[in-house]
Structures are given as C-alpha cells and as structure tokens.
C-alpha cells in the first residue's frame, strides 16, 4: 500500500482544529463572562476582568426580573413575537405558494417587488413609517386598535418586514415540490384551499420549521421597530428594556442585574436553537440551496 | 393572497416611495413639507461627514464580506468534509456537531445585547475581557473603541463575529448536498484537503457564495445597529466610525426629516448599484450534478 501524502494535509488539519477551537472560545467567552458577571456586584465587575464573584448573588436575577421589569418585557415580547411569527408564516406561506405555483398576470411583478424588499435599507422608510402608523388610528372601526403604542400595529409591521425573506425562501421551497401530487389531489376534487392546507403545507414542513425559527429569532431580537413605534414603558419589548438599562447605566448603575437580564433574553433562544438545530439545517438545504 | 400584498405595500413600499418625495423637501416634522428642489442634495455633497460615512461604508464593504466568507467557508469545509470518510459518507472533523451549535450563538443575540457584551470585551481598562487576556502577557490596556485608528476595525470584527454562524450553516447546507462520491474519488486520487476544497467544494458552492456575497454587501451598507450602540459617541470618536445609516438616524432625531431622506436615497442607490454589480460580475454557469 502506498502511503498517502499526509504532510501538507495534516498541517492544514491541525491549523483547522486550532481555528475552530479558537473561534468557539471567542463565541462562548463573552457570553460566559456575562453569565458570571450576573452574580457579581459593581466593584467586582469593574475590578480585574477574570475574578470570580465572592458569592453567587441570585438577588441580581430577582432584581432584574422584578425591579428592572425584565419579567414584564419578557412577556410583552412573547405575545408580540407569537402573533408576529404566526401571521408571518400564514401570510408568507400563502403568498409564496400562490406566487410559485400559479401563473397569473402580474405574478412576476409582485414577486420581485416583495423580494426587492430584501435589499432596501430599512432606514430609508423610517420617518414615513412612523407617520403612517400614527395615522392608522384614524381608520374607521379598527383605528382604536392601531396607531402608535399598539401591539397590533407592531405585529403588522413585523409581518410586513418579515415577508421578503419568508416569501423568497418558501417559494424556492414550494417550487421543488412535485406537481404530480397536486394534480392527483385536484382530480380527486380537492379545492385550492384544501390542497394548500392539507397537501402542500405538510409536504413543505421541513422548510416551514426552518424559516419559522429564523423569524422567531429575528422578531425576538427586533430593536428598531419597537423603538420607533412603542414609547409606553409598560409595553416595551425585551430589547428596549435592556437597551434602556444599559444606556442609563453609568458606573453607579447596577450592572449585575443588567447581565442577569441579558442572560434571560439569551437562554430561551439558545435552548430553542439547540432543540431545532437539525430542522434548520435540513430546511436550509432544501430551501435556499435549490 | 391579497392580505400579504396589501400589508406589504402599505407598510413597506409606501414609506419608501414617500421617502423619495420628502428628499426634495424641507420637511421638519409636523408642519407642511415645502418643496426645495435639489437643495438637500447640494448640501449633502458639500458635507464632509457624508463623505466620511461613505468611505467607512466602503471599508466595511471591502472587509466584512471578505473576512466572513473566507472564515465561514473554511469552517464549513472542516465541519463537513474535513474528517475521514466513514461508510462512504464524508465526515466533519471531531466535535463538528458542537462547533456547529456554538458558532450560531452570536446570531441569536439582539443588537443591544451584543453591544453590552462587547462594551465589556472592549473596556479600555483592565476590567475589559480583551485587555484582561492581554494583561496575562504583560500588554498594557488598549482603548479599543477610543483610538480613532482602530475603532472602525474593532466594530467590523464584531460584525464578522456575529455573521459567521449563519454562513457556516448556509455553506454546510450547500456542501452536504454535494455527492460524497466526488470527494471519495478525489481522496483516492490522493488530493489533499486544500486541493479538494479549491477544485471541488468552491466551484460547486458558487451559487451559495454569490447569495452570501450579496447579503453581506447589503449588510455592509446598513451597519447601523453596531455603530449606533457600540461605537464611542454614536459614530465617534470624531466621526471615525460613522456610517451613512448612522447619519440618517442622527438627522432624523434632529428633526431634519427632509435631509435624512436625502441621505436615505443616497444609501438606496449605493446599495442597489452594489447589488446589480455583485450579481452581474459573479454570474457563472451553474454546474449540474
């Protein structure tokens, strides 16, 4: 047996191992540091970077949840993200389905208009968006539900701005599904609505799970829209709460509870990602790649 | 079908179209906007800060995609085909499951959180994580975000740090759909991992790389969030890290809505030009396999 040329390749591989491990440390270190700091008091935080807390102050976590209202912000965020993602997925999958599988006049125009949204700088429309949402309170009947400081407005804006990526991703996905199944169902007398909910959606499940999780992450971490549209502190989202604590925090403010609040925002996302990691990978394989 | 379109047109398209109109006005908020023609545009081209911001966007456009793509491709390759083939399926290096999980973590963080984390990493005294580590080697604390020469680079590093995970997942997805036989054949022919990467993975992944390049380019033109929350004094010190979107934000806060939308239009055209160039120059024949 001939010996494989190992010299170059093992150098390449050991460099690879070092790089992988090094980057893993770079990712984990700041988060671990924040976690440890969540048990420290200010003196310890502003001392040497790598000192251990003298004792584990769980009171920081209680403080964050109650006194700094992280608990309230947490539930506010859960509500908005729940309806935002549910709406995005319902409307996004319907739009993607119709755009990718039915031919009609204006199909291409609508598709590219929506996809074009991926490239717009969100900032360009900020001033007008504020004004527009403010005006929605004058719409008859539904007006009182809308306007500024309204979760309904915020949810609608989240949905609208999540549509480009969702539609882009899901239409690629729907296009790959076999037409034969749809045809068979139609011959059996299946309506378009039934076909969509009973046949196409279940078949698209891997893609749906992947993009749902991306939308959850995106909307959970949304900072710009809540800052623009929600000014009532009782309705603040998690990111607003954390930003406020950190910007008002000088050297006198309580940093321990701030880090505890940060951990509370991060941990649910990490658990969810760890849990659904496989689906995200397989969803991406079948969606964005094809 | 009509519901998503109405929603989209109302909340996304309409604000953008209005923005173009306002860029020709002296809109200052609640009073009526007055038409001023191209005054805002003249003012913009005479503004030093505007050119500084554009330059910084350009530097980010150069460094962010380059660094992110190279590192993410390298990692994705190691995690998918770097290891020894097992039962005819190419494997990643040992621990690749763990790495794949961990590398995505930064993507899960909201911008204010990233800001707080990196404020702690970059603190200018010995309580900062980075200075703490360097302290072990006897290096004096560095003012990472205070030194105008390095502040922008430190911000780009954070953007790369946050972006890599997503592209590792994206490229991993692409690589896992490349048939294992191709790699086996290469291995039999005695190809080193480096050759395999250059001759097989890279060309077969071209479509993904192109998409990634466009995303990262668009992100480079935005770059608002990190600059706003992490840089010293929002774009400082002394405008050394400011970007176009940051200037738009500041103009909006100052009530100069008209001028802010003018800057927005400039940003729009820069981004659109980039996207068109990126798509046309990276166009290649798709390889079927």
């Amino acid at each position: 047996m001939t010996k494989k040329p190992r010299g170059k390749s093992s150098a390449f591989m050991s460099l690879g191992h070092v790089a992988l491990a090094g980057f893993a440390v770079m990712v984990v270190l700041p988060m671990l540091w924040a976690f440890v700091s969540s048990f420290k008091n200010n003196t310890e935080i502003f001392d040497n970077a790598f000192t251990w807390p003298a004792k584990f102050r769980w009171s920081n976590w209680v403080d964050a949840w109650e006194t700094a209202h992280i608990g309230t912000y947490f539930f506010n965020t859960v509500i908005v993200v729940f309806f935002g993602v549910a709406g995005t997925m319902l409307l996004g999958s319907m739009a993607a389905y119709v755009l990718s599988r039915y031919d009609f006049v204006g199909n291409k125009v609508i598709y590219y208009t929506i996809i074009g949204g991926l490239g717009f700088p969100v900032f360009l429309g900020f001033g007008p968006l504020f004004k527009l949402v403010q005006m929605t309170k004058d719409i008859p009947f539904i007006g009182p539900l809308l306007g500024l400081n309204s979760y309904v407005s915020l949810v609608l804006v989240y949905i609208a701005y999540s549509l480009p990526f969702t539609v882009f991703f899901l239409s690629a996905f729907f296009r790959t599904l076999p037409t034969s199944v749809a045809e068979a169902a139609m011959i059996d007398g299946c309506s378009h609505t039934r076909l969509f909910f009973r046949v196409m959606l279940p078949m698209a499940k891997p893609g749906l799970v992947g993009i749902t999780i991306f939308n959850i992450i995106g909307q959970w971490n949304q900072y710009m829209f809540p800052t623009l549209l929600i000014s009532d502190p009782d309705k603040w989202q998690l990111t607003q709460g954390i930003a406020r604590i950190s910007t008002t925090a000088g050297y006198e403010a309580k940093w321990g509870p701030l880090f505890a609040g940060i951990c509370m925002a991060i941990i649910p996302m990490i658990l969810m990602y760890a849990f659904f990691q496989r689906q995200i990978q397989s969803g991406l394989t079948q969606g964005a790649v094809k | 079908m009509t519901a998503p379109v109405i929603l989209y047109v109302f909340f996304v398209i309409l604000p953008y179209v209005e923005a173009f109109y306002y860029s020709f006005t002296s809109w200052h908020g609640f009073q009526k906007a007055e038409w001023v023609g191209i005054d805002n545009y003249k003012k913009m081209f005479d503004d030093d800060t505007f050119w500084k911001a554009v330059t910084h966007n350009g530097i980010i456009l150069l460094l962010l995609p380059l660094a992110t793509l190279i590192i993410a491709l390298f990692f994705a390759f190691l995690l998918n085909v770097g290891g020894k083939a097992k039962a005819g399926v190419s494997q990643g290096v040992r621990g690749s499951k763990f790495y794949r999980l961990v590398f995505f973590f930064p993507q899960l963080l909201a911008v204010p959180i990233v800001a707080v984390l990196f404020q702690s990493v970059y603190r200018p005294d010995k309580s900062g994580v980075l200075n703490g580590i360097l302290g072990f080697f006897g290096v004096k604390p560095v003012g990472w975000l205070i030194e105008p020469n390095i502040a922008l680079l430190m911000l780009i590093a954070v953007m790369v740090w946050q972006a890599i995970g997503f592209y590792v997942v994206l490229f991993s997805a692409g690589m896992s759909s490349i048939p294992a036989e191709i790699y086996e054949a290469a291995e039999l022919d005695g190809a080193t991992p480096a050759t395999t990467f250059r001759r097989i993975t890279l060309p077969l992944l071209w479509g993904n790389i192109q998409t990634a390049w466009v995303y990262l380019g668009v992100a480079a033109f935005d770059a608002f969030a990190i600059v706003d929350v992490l840089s010293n004094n929002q774009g400082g010190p002394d405008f050394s890290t400011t970007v176009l979107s940051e200037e738009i934000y500041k103009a909006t806060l100052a009530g100069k809505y008209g001028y802010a939308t003018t800057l927005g239009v400039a940003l729009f055209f820069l981004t659109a030009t980039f996207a068109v160039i990126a798509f046309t120059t990276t166009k290649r024949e798709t390889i079927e396999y």
Side-chain angles (χ1 to χ4, degrees), chain A residues 36-50:
Chain A
V36 173
S37 297
S38 75
F39 300 105
K40 290 182 174 180
N41 62 19
N42 276 10
T43 327
E44 287 166 343
I45 287 175
F46 288 102
D47 193 17
N48 228 322
F50 294 97

Side-chain angles (χ1 to χ4, degrees), chain A residues 23 25-31, chain B residues 64 68 103 105-107 109 114 117-118 155-165:
Chain A
F23 190 67
V25 170
M26 280 168 63
V27 167
V28 174
L29 193 65
M31 294 188 194
Chain B
L64 173 69
T68 311
F103 287 2
F105 284 174
Q107 281 284 318
L109 306 180
V114 174
L117 288 183
F118 275 86
L155 294 181
I156 296 174
V158 179
M159 294 178 211
V160 174
W161 178 85
Q162 200 174 16
I164 282 176

